[in-house]
Amino acid sequence: MSQNVHFLTLATPDLDAARRFYVDGLGWNALLDVPEEILFFQIAPGLLLGLFDAEKFDQDLQRGSTVREASGVTLAHNVDSEDAVRSTVATMRAAGGEVLTEPAPGEFGGIFHAHVADPNGVIWEIAHNPGWSVEADGTVRLG
Amino acid sequence: MSQNVHFLTLATPDLDAARRFYVDGLGWNALLDVPEEILFFQIAPGLLLGLFDAEKFDQDLQRGSTVREASGVTLAHNVDSEDAVRSTVATMRAAGGEVLTEPAPGEFGGIFHAHVADPNGVIWEIAHNPGWSVEADGTVRLG
């Protein structure tokens, strides 16, 4: 099994709130938007983020579960500087995000970061990480 | 805020079980493996999957939560044919995955898929999706 993820799908209780946050607030472009069902964004080469209506998410898994939002998961967005962490967090707050931890030095790796929840409780880490880089071919380097 | 995710981090109650499944079972290569802390795999250009010890995951968020595993999230891995769905699911089962839904036609989009949970409850969808493609530059097309 090759080491690739092609879709990252999150149970989303309020798809309209997600659209307001990502499209109207952050200016993202949806690849596909099916109201009351799913909203797709491309978030890396070859990878889509699917925000999937929480009830349909449950039905699709046929597990009879009552998962109503994503938990135990964070999405990280890296930026070039500590100032860019602050400005990105300000943008997310203005778009309706809830700042969980204000921009501050992290506990390891020399990073500077903050955590922001989107309107559906999806937690983003906005970080400047001097030890992280991506080569031209997409290979990630750490440390 | 640009439309990019650079790390996808999942709360992982049993990192040793994760290592046995992904590294020993599926043959994946870890970019970084810090026992009892975190295991990183590159899963798309510019994107790392971090399987993060669940207790440390909680501490990092400073929320006093008791999240012990990821839920409300699925990771999809697309393959070229229905037979490749079946063989990938067999590989995952042999590696210790739990098959939640056997390979079968999906409800929409002409897909053929199955769901498999890893030893930490992370749900994978293994799919053949004829309407999905990725261009040379990484742009995803749907339908």
Side-chain angles (χ1 to χ4, degrees):
Chain A
M1 179 179 174
S2 74
Q3 201 169 320
N4 294 103
V5 173
H6 300 110
F7 288 86
L8 163 62
T9 304
L10 301 179
T12 303
D14 188 340
L15 214 44
D16 291 335
R19 186 181 301 106
R20 284 192 297 272
F21 183 72
Y22 291 101
V23 179
D24 304 338
L26 301 183
W28 287 20
N29 296 305
L31 175 63
L32 188 66
D33 182 348
V34 184
E36 297 176 42
E37 188 166 322
I38 200 159
L39 191 53
F40 284 114
F41 297 104
Q42 180 152 357
I43 54 168
L47 179 71
L48 297 185
L49 170 65
L51 302 177
F52 194 15
D53 175 79
E55 287 188 27
K56 294 188 171 66
F57 180 96
D58 275 356
Q59 290 164 12
D60 200 48
L61 288 179
Q62 304 169 30
R63 306 214 78 196
S65 67
T66 53
V67 169
R68 285 293 169 263
E69 63 176 32
S71 70
V73 51
T74 60
L75 307 179
H77 175 79
N78 286 352
V79 294
D80 287 342
S81 66
E82 298 189 1
D83 275 349
V85 172
R86 293 185 192 95
S87 63
T88 302
V89 169
T91 299
M92 295 179 90
R93 195 195 309 255
E98 180 192 358
V99 178
L100 305 177
T101 66
E102 294 287 344
E107 290 194 22
F108 51 85
I111 73 167
F112 183 86
H113 66 168
H115 292 95
V116 184
D118 86 357
N120 286 286
V122 175
I123 298 176
W124 284 85
E125 178 188 27
I126 307 301
H128 172 56
N129 182 342
W132 170 90
S133 62
V134 182
E135 300 191 0
D137 69 355
T139 300
V140 181
R141 301 291 178 196
L142 282 182
Chain B
M1 177 180 175
S2 74
Q3 201 168 320
N4 294 103
V5 173
H6 301 110
F7 288 86
L8 163 63
T9 305
L10 301 178
T12 302
D14 187 341
L15 214 45
D16 291 336
R19 186 182 299 105
R20 286 192 296 273
F21 182 72
Y22 291 101
V23 178
D24 303 338
L26 301 184
W28 287 20
N29 296 305
L31 175 64
L32 189 67
D33 182 348
V34 185
E36 298 176 41
E37 187 165 324
I38 200 159
L39 190 53
F40 283 114
F41 297 104
Q42 180 153 356
I43 53 168
L47 179 71
L48 298 185
L49 171 65
L51 302 177
F52 193 18
D53 175 79
E55 285 187 31
K56 293 188 171 67
F57 179 96
D58 275 355
Q59 289 163 11
D60 200 47
L61 288 179
Q62 305 168 28
R63 305 213 79 196
S65 67
T66 55
V67 169
R68 285 293 170 260
E69 64 176 30
S71 70
V73 52
T74 60
L75 307 180
H77 175 79
N78 286 352
V79 294
D80 286 343
S81 66
E82 297 188 2
D83 274 350
V85 172
R86 293 186 191 94
S87 62
T88 303
V89 169
T91 299
M92 296 178 89
R93 195 195 308 256
E98 179 193 359
V99 179
L100 305 177
T101 68
E102 294 287 345
E107 290 195 20
F108 51 85
I111 73 168
F112 182 86
H113 65 169
H115 293 96
V116 184
D118 86 358
N120 286 287
V122 176
I123 299 176
W124 284 84
E125 178 187 29
I126 307 302
H128 172 56
N129 182 342
W132 170 90
S133 62
V134 181
E135 300 190 1
D137 69 355
T139 301
V140 181
R141 302 292 178 193
L142 283 181

